[in-house]
């Protein structure tokens, strides 16, 4: 078997004991018959084994540590107990990022001696102390010789030297039992540094250093030979320069007419499907050869590659009255896209996306787009004409028609996450605007988050507006649109649910202690938010009434409920939710006007999957085991619309198209051929 | 130095270490001995150089010592110590990052190393390189999971995230490792 790429990530996950039983079985079955994957698994094992240190920690470390602790105790005064007894530790905080500086990573402004991480100084471009624009810094000599080893003693030396308050604009942080940092000014205690540093009273003026064009540019160039090292801040390196509009051609002028033709909430699909939705691709061709497609030139840092696969994403069309047919089979590019079936808002195009790319299917046409998606975020524009794709380094917006015409169309990066942050989600907020969530991703950070509105088309292309900036970790967000325009964004942190309006006006926190949110939906009216949440081990379905500041428990689901579906009806009058064991429906206003049904009530005692309301708000498509059911919420009677033969494989939310239901099934190509 | 009975709970050792004196030193020594191998393994995988790892190990336990008074003795100590170690490694890597970027750009200007192709086929070497090539967070996760056998709960505690999140990150890290190994083995994807 040649097409093994799908199993690579699974094999790695297997080594880490992360696979579920189904996946284990699948991998085991494949590996038994595939020598190449057996070899690959061995290589993975070797890679992981390489992480086992081939040497033990040397005893010398303890000796040094003892010495250091001794020095520390001596510094704390004779008879001091272990460090906790005094609890006082004074360190210098970086003026720019406010994190503690370490001896080997500390520089001081040549003008005012404000401490910085070297990286922060360079990032800021000059001293970040208020009122100081010095572009040079000095570095303690210890950085030149045995930086790490000596640094530890240096750290110990600094520990108990009280920072003198005063000076011109640095910040010394007093970390007292983890307490808050102060805003005191620096702070270069005599004796705590191993070389004399500049005099704050006599600031060193920046020096212009002319450079020849094209001359090699050292990142940090020593410019003084006296008893301190002074460094000029270099111009930004090329890779620090935002690439967005400057390195790529500007987008074509806005097709303002067409881009504003988005449907309004409650509109019917633009037109019913007349022709076959997509062609039924040849299974044999799909499973034997490479998909015919040109590679898409993506972001330069992303590798473009073709990824053969063994799995299929099938799209079925089921009639509400019963009867179904397979309308498309698509090879998956990766194994992580088991629920990656996204229909365009006009229901004319289906996107199946995976770890290694995505495929577009529309009325007999297909195109495979291979692009490395580190984060499989793809979002349809409201007018169904454009796609926003997160390429890891940023968001690219592409005209869908261009992809059908010329799959080699280059992706343009419209927006890049800011330094130190990474994109965590993205969706269209309006006809021309994208809403992007960025989070700080370094270890030790709390996931400080930012919600940014980015102009992705038309005038002001590339401009961004920060809607929200918070120290907390934003874990999800939902745009609320009215008439296609962004009105507000509801977001969740581990602690609370908050909202912000489209003009970046905070609406404050809406709810607290909602627990770990597993799924969330906002009503079309924007006045209700439904949540499936794990609250201290108990899963619950919650309904928040934003306008009334009221939270209701829809259902207590118990301790072992899996993630489920949530859906508001078209006008937002009803909410439906599904979990592994049950499906519930009720009016958002009348807590007594609902019901909860189990699989047995529906006629099939199997796992309940995703749900979708029909436009008429009377019928609900419900995936149960290998069946797609239509549940009449008035009579509570369920009919089978389709049976696809593979239990538990119905993936992603079904989509109603008139009287038919589109849904996808993720299956193994070999299984499918057997069937 | 008074003997400290083996098998004694972390909580008790922390209490005694806080008290100070010879008994406190012995208790801290015992904590050190108990967790030094784990911290070493994590730091070694992240920093790769022995000398830097030694320094980082020293700094890790110095920070642990300084924070003993604040640590919640009722919670597991191991994930916390590994968190401290990770933070120390990141501080150290931050310094390295800038010079590495410069070095990399110089390498790129100079073209590929002459023996690069020759190395491509050597699987063991490739496997080692694959892990080393990963960003430090996925690398730390893989090491903590595979080498140190931390449970998802311990990882979640150490990374200050939910189990679900850490599981997702582990899957992501596994995917990156698989890609890196595949790439280094020259495994065809076409």
């Amino acid at each position: 078997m040649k097409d093994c790429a799908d199993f690579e990530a699974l094999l790695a996950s297997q080594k880490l004991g992360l696979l579920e039983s189904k996946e284990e079985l699948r991998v085991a079955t494949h590996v038994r018959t595939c020598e190449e994957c057996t070899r690959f698994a061995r290589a993975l094992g070797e890679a992981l084994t390489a992480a086992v240190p081939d040497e033990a920690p040397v005893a010398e470390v303890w000796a040094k540590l003892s010495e250091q602790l001794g020095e520390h105790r001596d510094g704390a005064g004779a008879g001091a107990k272990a460090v906790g007894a005094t609890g006082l530790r004074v360190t210098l905080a970086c003026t720019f990022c406010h994190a503690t500086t370490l001896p080997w990573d500390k520089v001081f402004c040549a003008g005012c001696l404000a401490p910085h991480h070297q990286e922060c100084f360079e990032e800021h471009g000059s001293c970040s102390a208020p009122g100081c624009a010095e572009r040079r810094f000095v570095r303690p000599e210890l950085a030149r010789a045995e930086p790490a080893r000596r640094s530890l003693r240096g750290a110990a030396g600094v520990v108990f030297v009280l920072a003198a308050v005063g000076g011109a604009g640095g910040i010394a942080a007093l970390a007292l039992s983890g307490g808050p940092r102060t805003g005191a000014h620096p702070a270069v205690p005599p004796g705590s540094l191993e070389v004399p540093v500049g005099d704050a009273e006599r600031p060193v003026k920046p020096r212009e250093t002319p450079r020849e064009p094209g001359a090699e540019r050292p990142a940090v160039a020593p410019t003084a030979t006296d008893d301190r090292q002074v460094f000029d801040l270099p111009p930004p390196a090329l890779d620090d320069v935002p690439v967005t509009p400057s390195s790529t051609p500007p987008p074509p002028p806005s097709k303002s007419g067409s881009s504003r033709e988005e449907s309004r909430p409650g509109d019917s699909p633009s037109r019913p499907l007349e022709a076959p939705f997509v062609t039924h691709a040849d299974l044999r061709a799909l499973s034997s050869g490479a998909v015919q497609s040109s590679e898409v030139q993506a972001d330069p840092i992303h590798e473009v590659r073709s990824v053969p696969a063994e799995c299929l994403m099938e799209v079925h069309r089921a009639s509400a009255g019963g009867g179904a047919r397979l309308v498309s089979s698509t090879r998956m590019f990766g194994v992580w896209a088991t629920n990656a079936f996204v229909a365009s808002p006009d229901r004319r195009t289906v996107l199946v996306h995976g770890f290694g790319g995505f495929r577009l299917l529309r009325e007999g046409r297909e195109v495979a787009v291979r692009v490395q998606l580190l984060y499989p975020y793809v979002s349809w524009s409201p007018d169904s004409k454009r796609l926003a794709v997160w390429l890891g380094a940023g968001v690219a917006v592409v005209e869908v028609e261009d992809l059908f015409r010329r799959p080699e169309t280059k992706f343009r990066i419209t927006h890049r996450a800011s330094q130190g942050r990474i994109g965590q989600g993205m969706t269209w907020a309006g006809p021309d605007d994208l809403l992007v969530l960025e989070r700080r991703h370094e270890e030790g950070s709390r996931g400080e988050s930012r919600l940014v509105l980015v102009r992705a088309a038309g005038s002001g292309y590339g401009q961004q507006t920060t809607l929200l900036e918070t120290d907390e970790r934003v874990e999800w967000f939902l745009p609320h649109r009215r008439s296609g325009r962004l009105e507000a964004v509801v977001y969740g942190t581990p602690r609370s649910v908050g909202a912000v309006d489209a003009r970046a006006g905070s609406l404050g926190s809406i709810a607290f202690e909602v627990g770990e949110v597993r799924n969330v939906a906002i009503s079309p009216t924007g006045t209700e938010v439904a949540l499936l949440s794990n609250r201290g081990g108990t899963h619950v379905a919650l309904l928040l009434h934003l306008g009334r500041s009221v939270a209701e428990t829809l259902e207590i689901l118990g301790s072992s409920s899996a993630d489920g579906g949530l859906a508001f009806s078209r006008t937002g009058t009803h909410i439906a939710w599904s979990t592994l064991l049950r499906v519930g429906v009720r009016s958002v206003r009348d807590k007594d006007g609902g019901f909860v049904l189990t699989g047995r009530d529906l006629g099939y005692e199997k796992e309940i999957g995703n749900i979708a309301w029909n436009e008429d708000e009377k019928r609900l498509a419900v995936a149960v085991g290998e069946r797609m059911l239509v549940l009449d919420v008035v009579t509570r009677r369920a009919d089978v619309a389709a049976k696809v033969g593979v239990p538990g494989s119905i993936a992603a939310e079904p989509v109603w198209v008139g009287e038919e239901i589109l849904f996808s099934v993720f299956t193994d190509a070999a299984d499918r051929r057997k069937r | 130095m008074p003997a400290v009975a083996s098998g004694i709970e972390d909580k008790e050792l922390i209490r005694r270490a806080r008290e100070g004196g010879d008994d406190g030193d012995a208790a801290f020594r015992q904590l050190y001995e108990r967790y030094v191998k784990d911290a070493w393994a994590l730091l070694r995988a992240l920093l790769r150089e022995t000398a830097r790892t030694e320094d980082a190990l020293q700094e890790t336990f110095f920070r642990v010592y300084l924070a003993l008074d604040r640590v919640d003795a009722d919670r597991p100590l191991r994930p916390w110590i590994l968190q401290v170690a990770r933070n120390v490694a990141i501080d150290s890597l931050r310094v390295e990052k800038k010079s590495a970027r410069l070095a990399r750009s110089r390498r790129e200007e100079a073209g590929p190393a002459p023996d690069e192709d020759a190395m491509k086929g050597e699987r063991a070497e490739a496997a080692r390189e694959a892990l080393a090539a990963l960003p430090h967070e996925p690398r730390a996760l893989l090491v903590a999971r595979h080498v140190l056998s931390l449970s998802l709960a311990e990882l979640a505690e150490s990374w200050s995230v939910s189990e679900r999140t850490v599981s997702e990150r582990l899957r992501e890290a596994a995917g990156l490792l698989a890609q890196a190994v595949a790439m280094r083995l020259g495994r065809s994807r076409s």
Side-chain angles (χ1 to χ4, degrees):
Chain A
M1 198 174 292
K2 289 179 183 174
D3 298 343
C4 303
D6 273 4
F7 285 93
E8 289 173 358
L10 279 178
L11 284 166
S13 296
Q14 187 189 37
K15 296 276 176 200
L16 300 171
L18 300 172
L19 294 191
E20 292 169 7
S21 52
K22 267 185 196 172
E23 293 171 314
E24 281 281 6
L25 187 64
R26 204 170 136 231
V27 170
T29 310
H30 175 75
V31 170
R32 266 201 301 274
T33 58
C34 179
E35 276 185 31
E36 194 185 337
C37 280
T38 308
R39 278 196 297 275
F40 187 74
R42 205 175 301 133
L44 278 171
E46 284 165 4
L48 287 166
T49 308
V52 179
D54 45 11
E55 53 198 1
V58 291
E60 195 184 300
V61 174
W62 173 254
K64 286 185 194 171
L65 180 62
S66 295
E67 188 185 336
Q68 186 180 10
L69 294 176
E71 285 174 13
H72 167 68
R73 279 193 290 264
D74 292 345
K81 290 180 181 175
V83 69
T86 60
L88 179 66
R89 188 186 189 194
V90 181
T91 58
L92 294 176
C94 171
T95 312
F96 184 65
C97 73
H98 305 300
T100 304
T101 56
L102 293 169
W104 61 82
D105 183 25
K106 183 161 48 184
V107 299
F108 296 88
C109 168
C112 71
L113 301 184
H116 290 78
H117 295 115
Q118 181 178 329
E119 195 181 40
C120 290
F121 199 99
E122 289 164 359
E123 168 74 20
H124 187 258
S126 63
C127 175
S128 64
C132 181
E134 176 60 66
R135 284 175 53 81
R136 294 188 296 175
F137 57 80
V138 294
R139 184 161 53 194
E141 199 171 40
L142 61 86
R144 283 194 299 211
E146 287 194 297
R149 284 165 188 277
R150 294 189 61 185
S151 67
L152 291 167
R153 297 203 181 90
V158 173
V159 164
F160 278 93
V161 182
L162 286 172
V165 177
I171 293 179
L174 287 173
L176 178 58
S177 297
R181 297 183 182 94
T182 72
H185 283 275
V188 185
S192 69
L193 301 171
E194 298 180 18
V195 294
V197 290
D199 184 345
E201 299 300 319
R202 293 184 286 109
V204 182
K205 296 293 179 194
R207 193 179 58 170
E208 295 299 325
T209 311
R211 287 194 181 88
E212 289 179 18
E216 190 181 347
R217 197 175 50 208
V220 180
T223 58
T225 54
D226 57 5
D227 58 351
R228 63 190 178 193
Q229 287 181 286
V230 182
F231 299 88
D232 258 342
L233 195 70
L238 279 179
D239 55 355
D240 292 336
V241 178
V243 176
T244 314
S246 58
S247 67
T248 54
S254 167
K255 298 171 184 171
S256 54
S258 61
S259 66
R260 289 172 199 285
E261 286 171 3
E262 81 280 5
S263 56
R264 290 165 183 273
D267 285 354
S268 297
S270 58
R271 62 187 169 99
L273 296 171
E274 294 162 5
F277 187 71
V278 287
T279 54
H280 182 172
D282 183 342
L283 285 179
R284 188 172 298 171
L286 284 170
S287 56
S288 60
V291 175
Q292 293 302 308
S293 163
S294 300
E295 289 182 343
V296 173
Q297 179 64 44
D299 188 83
I301 71 162
H302 283 87
E303 198 179 345
V304 177
R305 54 170 70 165
S306 60
V307 185
E310 184 61 16
C311 299
L312 296 175
M313 177 67 82
E314 298 175 347
V315 179
H316 293 254
R317 198 157 94 170
S319 167
R325 62 196 170 93
L326 178 69
V327 291
S328 169
S329 292
T330 303
R331 289 200 327 164
M332 292 302 296
F333 298 123
V335 292
W336 290 357
T338 54
N339 56 356
F341 159 84
V342 191
S344 62
D346 66 5
R347 311 288 201 265
R348 289 179 60 213
T349 314
V350 168
L351 181 148
V352 181
H353 68 110
F355 192 68
F358 59 85
R359 171 177 288 269
L360 293 167
L361 313 153
R362 179 196 284 176
E363 296 167 349
R365 291 191 289 168
E366 295 188 21
V367 64
V369 178
R370 302 191 194 287
V371 57
Q372 191 72 15
L373 298 175
L374 281 180
Y375 299 91
Y377 303 141
V378 179
S379 178
W380 285 99
S381 66
D383 61 7
S384 302
K385 292 180 178 170
R386 279 166 291 167
L387 274 173
V389 184
W390 191 275
L391 294 173
V395 185
V397 175
V398 62
E399 296 280 338
V400 176
E401 201 50 48
D402 284 352
L403 283 180
F404 277 111
R405 275 201 302 266
R406 291 186 299 120
E408 71 277 12
T409 297
K410 288 188 177 181
F411 280 24
R412 296 189 187 96
I413 301 292
T414 302
H415 168 75
R416 285 174 189 273
S418 53
Q419 187 86 17
R421 293 176 189 267
I422 195 162
Q424 293 288 334
M426 166 267 301
T427 189
W428 288 85
D432 295 331
D433 296 312
L434 284 168
L435 189 57
V436 177
L437 169 64
E438 297 173 4
R439 270 205 311 250
R440 197 167 283 284
H441 67 285
E442 295 102 340
E443 291 87 340
S445 72
R446 286 167 298 174
E448 294 90 333
S449 303
R450 201 159 80 107
L451 270 170
V452 191
L453 197 60
V454 179
R455 180 51 62 103
S459 60
Y461 173 83
Q463 282 180 1
Q464 48 179 289
T465 309
T466 301
L467 293 187
L468 171 76
E469 195 144 24
T470 171
D471 286 345
E472 290 190 272
R473 179 187 176 88
V474 173
E475 300 199 316
W476 54 267
F477 67 99
L478 289 168
H480 168 54
R481 290 185 286 253
R482 197 183 293 273
S483 301
R485 301 275 167 190
L486 183 72
E487 277 220 331
V489 183
V490 178
Y491 63 91
T493 70
R495 201 176 59 87
S496 64
V497 176
V500 62
D501 74 20
R503 293 173 302 282
S506 173
L507 304 175
S509 292
I510 295 167
F512 295 95
E513 307 296 334
V514 292
E516 184 195 351
V517 174
R518 312 299 291 256
N519 199 354
V520 61
I522 190 166
S523 69
T525 57
T527 51
E528 272 82 26
V529 168
L531 305 161
L532 284 174
S533 175
N534 177 0
R535 300 180 75 187
T538 301
H539 291 70
V540 292
L542 297 169
L543 185 64
L544 310 180
H545 298 275
L546 306 186
R548 293 187 284 145
S549 302
V550 173
E552 283 179 41
T553 301
L554 289 168
E555 191 191 348
I556 296 173
L557 303 165
S559 58
S560 60
S561 291
D563 296 350
L566 285 168
F568 282 97
S569 64
R570 179 176 56 84
T571 57
T573 56
H574 286 75
I575 171 75
W577 66 96
S578 67
T579 64
L580 205 59
L581 305 173
R582 288 178 283 250
V583 57
V585 176
R586 60 157 269 196
S587 156
V588 296
R589 298 282 167 190
D590 177 11
K591 63 172 70 173
D592 299 321
F595 59 85
V596 175
L597 301 175
T598 64
R600 180 181 289 182
D601 297 330
L602 297 169
Y604 302 97
E605 206 166 348
K606 297 196 172 173
E607 290 181 4
I608 297 176
N610 282 300
I611 51 176
W613 282 97
N614 184 278
E615 291 276 304
D616 64 11
E617 300 186 279
K618 291 176 182 164
R619 287 171 296 171
L620 203 58
V622 186
V624 181
E626 66 273 46
R627 292 173 176 83
M628 182 57 69
L629 306 185
V630 175
L631 171 65
D632 187 316
V633 298
V634 179
T635 63
R636 301 184 196 180
R637 186 184 150 186
D639 292 316
V640 178
K643 182 168 180 285
V644 290
V646 186
S649 59
I650 295 179
E653 288 177 10
V655 175
W656 283 88
V657 182
E659 287 300 297
E660 293 184 317
I661 306 160
L662 276 171
F663 62 100
S664 56
V665 171
F666 184 70
T667 186
D668 185 278
D671 287 348
R672 179 68 196 163
R673 280 196 294 273
K674 280 178 205 162
R675 276 194 283 135
Chain B
M1 188 180 292
V4 179
S6 60
I8 202 158
E9 281 193 7
D10 287 347
K11 190 176 174 179
E12 173 62 13
L13 291 174
I14 292 169
R15 187 191 63 74
R16 283 162 50 186
R18 282 174 181 164
E19 293 291 319
D22 288 347
D23 188 47
D25 286 349
F28 184 69
R29 173 76 189 258
Q30 187 149 343
L31 286 172
Y32 173 86
E33 297 292 351
R34 190 171 287 181
Y35 295 112
V36 67
K37 281 184 185 166
D38 287 350
W40 172 264
L42 184 66
L43 290 166
R44 186 76 175 83
L46 286 171
L47 299 175
R48 284 173 274 172
E49 292 169 22
T50 306
R52 282 180 86 188
T53 307
E54 284 175 25
D55 288 332
L57 186 68
Q58 185 182 341
E59 173 68 7
T60 297
F61 280 93
F62 184 62
R63 288 192 194 182
V64 166
Y65 183 81
L66 293 178
L68 274 181
D69 201 39
R70 301 195 298 269
V71 71
D72 182 351
D74 290 325
R75 298 175 71 177
L77 193 62
R78 187 175 178 230
W80 177 70
I81 288 180
L82 293 176
Q83 188 179 19
V84 174
R86 207 171 71 244
N87 289 340
V88 171
I90 289 162
D91 286 339
S92 178
L93 285 167
R94 188 195 289 144
V95 181
E96 184 192 44
K97 201 168 71 178
K98 195 80 183 176
S99 52
R101 194 161 60 182
L102 280 172
R104 192 166 56 242
S105 65
R106 289 195 193 106
R107 270 204 307 276
E108 280 163 9
E109 282 167 20
D115 58 345
E116 214 165 70
D117 288 340
M119 288 169 67
K120 205 172 178 181
E122 296 173 12
R123 198 177 65 207
E125 186 62 29
R128 269 191 292 276
E129 283 176 4
L131 187 73
L134 296 186
H136 52 81
E137 181 170 12
R139 198 159 80 233
L141 263 176
L142 292 172
V143 170
R145 176 70 173 177
H146 185 76
V147 180
L148 305 178
S149 304
L150 260 67
S151 66
L152 288 180
E154 286 176 309
L155 283 170
E157 172 89 21
S158 185
W159 259 255
S160 304
V161 295
S162 67
E163 280 187 43
R164 184 182 176 216
T165 302
V166 92
S167 173
E168 282 170 5
R169 288 189 191 175
L170 267 172
R171 284 229 176 198
E172 215 166 281
L176 289 173
L177 178 69
Q179 279 181 34
V181 170
M183 203 157 63
R184 276 161 177 77
L185 291 178
R187 187 168 147 117
S188 170
R189 282 170 174 264
S190 58

